[in-house]
Amino acid sequence: METYQLLKELCDLAAPSGRERSAAETLTRLLDGRFDRMETDPLGNLLVEKRAARADAPTLLLDAHMDEVSFAVTGEKEGFLTFLNLGGVDPRILMANEVLVHGRETVPGVVTCMPPHLSTAEERKKAPAVKELCIDVGLPQERVRELLPPGSAVTLRAELHELSSGRVAGKSLDNRAGAAAVLLAYLNVWERIRNYNLKLLFSVQEEVGLRGARTGVAAAEPEECVVVDVTHAYTSDARREETGMMGEGVMIGIAPILDRGMFETFRALAQKQRIPHQIEVMNGSTGTNAFSIHNYGTGVRTGLLSIPLKYMHTSVELIDRRDLRSTVDLLSAYLLEREGAFGRV
């Protein structure tokens, strides 16, 4: 499967938190029946299973969230739409952005932006709050009220495109890049897995509180889990120790909630197979679904692999395809290593 086309298909679709069905349907089609069981839970999580050859086999879960940062219409003001955030979007990047409003029809729009000619010097020094912004869809007030009622979802409007040196930019690479990595690694190894149940959780509502992972892990009941997400890549205005370098490989997470043995296995496999990798040191929750998964029940051994990404939660998120490839390679190697380890038990 060609990586860029896969990424483009996943990133260009609209799947905001709570409305991830289009992403689930696309991933289902891309799996092309290569699984033993698939279900969608009441929250919208997509759970895929490749069963082991024996009934008492352990379960390994792979998680990647499907949703993207988005907004919701709260009302209408003289033909302009008011809205609120669904996820952590910095209001400084919103002005003059193109969006799609998904109501009774999908309508393009732009986030309002006061021209500098009409604003004061003091107003230009600060970014307006989201509640001070509106969306202009270019329609008469009556049509706005008819087509785009309160509760309509709003997504950033951007298409994935290639830059130089193997880099791509667009919206929702957080976390369709992670979903692509899980899908590609699974397709690499699924026919060779016999000694454990391999389950994929394409989870919902991560951007609004890691919610889908809480119900998804309950349905999967794994002994261990690998979460795949994105993390911050280095830019000149960021702290080097808090970021990863683009093009230098997958980030292997180490944190109190993450299993140390899984971390050591990831690192040893990366070194042995010469897979480019970096170490990401974190505290607290990691800001990923690992936090919702690691303490399910009596505890789930959890590891975290992340893809360095610039400009998170914008319409120009940017990754290096070499980092995606190293994530797929390391995850594939880990799944095969667990096949051997579980086979010796």
Side-chain angles (χ1 to χ4, degrees):
M1 190 176 295
E2 206 282 316
T3 304
Y4 174 71
Q5 290 303 323
L6 171 62
L7 277 176
K8 185 166 178 59
E9 184 165 5
L10 290 173
C11 291
D12 286 357
L13 58 83
S17 298
R19 304 188 185 195
E20 297 90 349
R21 184 174 178 179
S22 60
E25 290 176 344
T26 299
L27 288 162
T28 299
R29 176 174 52 78
L30 293 169
L31 282 162
D32 193 29
R34 285 169 281 191
F35 51 84
D36 294 316
R37 184 170 174 264
M38 175 182 288
E39 66 176 335
T40 302
D41 73 11
L43 211 60
N45 291 307
L46 178 64
L47 187 62
V48 179
E49 180 179 1
K50 169 68 169 63
R51 293 196 183 103
R54 66 179 202 271
D56 62 343
T59 295
L60 191 159
L61 178 68
L62 306 181
D63 167 80
H65 73 87
M66 299 184 289
D67 60 318
E68 62 190 278
V69 292
S70 56
F71 317 91
V73 172
T74 57
E76 174 271 332
K77 183 168 59 177
E78 298 179 346
F80 295 86
L81 295 170
T82 58
F83 63 100
L84 54 75
N85 270 5
L86 296 179
V89 181
D90 189 334
R92 292 176 301 174
I93 65 95
L94 283 179
M95 292 185 295
N97 250 289
E98 293 187 79
V99 295
L100 292 172
V101 187
H102 309 278
R104 295 189 174 95
E105 294 180 8
T106 295
V107 178
V110 294
V111 180
T112 54
C113 178
M114 177 73 76
H117 318 70
L118 302 179
S119 58
T120 67
E122 193 61 33
E123 288 172 333
R124 292 194 293 272
K125 291 180 182 179
K126 60 180 183 178
V130 170
K131 65 183 180 181
E132 297 173 331
L133 297 171
C134 291
I135 296 170
D136 185 350
V137 294
L139 293 174
Q141 186 176 32
E142 311 79 59
R143 287 291 284 164
V144 172
R145 290 176 175 175
E146 177 187 353
L147 295 178
L148 308 171
S152 298
V154 182
T155 56
L156 296 170
R157 186 185 188 188
E159 292 187 359
L160 193 77
H161 57 280
E162 294 185 275
L163 302 179
S164 58
S165 304
R167 296 182 178 184
V168 297
K171 72 167 187 68
S172 66
L173 281 160
D174 174 13
N175 183 41
R176 308 284 163 69
V182 166
L183 176 67
L184 290 170
Y186 175 80
L187 294 177
N188 281 347
V189 306
W190 75 283
E191 292 182 298
R192 301 166 66 181
I193 302 302
R194 296 286 185 273
N195 292 320
Y196 62 92
N197 301 306
L198 177 55
K199 297 184 180 182
L200 314 182
L201 175 61
F202 295 108
S203 51
V204 299
Q205 298 192 41
E206 190 268 358
E207 297 292 0
V208 290
L210 316 180
R211 294 173 183 169
R214 296 174 191 166
T215 60
V217 68
E221 295 190 317
E223 278 70 33
E224 64 180 72
C225 175
V226 181
V227 174
V228 183
D229 209 326
V230 297
T231 192
H232 298 287
Y234 177 73
T235 53
S236 60
D237 53 353
R239 296 177 183 172
R240 176 65 187 87
E241 66 273 15
E242 295 179 356
T243 56
M245 297 300 294
M246 294 195 74
E248 294 191 8
V250 56
M251 302 287 288
I252 305 173
I254 183 168
I257 70 167
L258 301 176
D259 185 80
R260 184 66 184 224
M262 293 177 71
F263 167 80
E264 296 293 354
T265 301
F266 282 133
R267 183 164 63 174
L269 286 169
Q271 291 172 343
K272 181 179 180 181
Q273 300 192 22
R274 298 184 179 180
I275 298 170
H277 64 284
Q278 308 170 69
I279 305 303
E280 182 176 20
V281 182
M282 295 163 285
N283 60 13
S285 71
T286 74
T288 72
N289 279 340
F291 186 68
S292 289
I293 291 171
H294 84 285
N295 59 358
Y296 167 72
T298 58
V300 178
R301 297 176 63 238
T302 302
L304 175 63
L305 299 179
S306 300
I307 302 162
L309 175 144
K310 291 180 180 178
Y311 320 124
M312 192 177 293
H313 293 184
T314 73
S315 59
V316 290
E317 294 179 337
L318 193 152
I319 68 166
D320 191 311
R321 280 190 279 172
R322 292 173 295 179
D323 296 327
L324 175 59
R325 174 48 53 190
S326 66
T327 305
V328 172
D329 290 345
L330 184 54
L331 185 55
S332 300
Y334 184 80
L335 295 177
L336 293 176
E337 187 279 338
R338 300 315 287 155
E339 172 70 5
F342 287 133
R344 294 190 293 270
V345 174

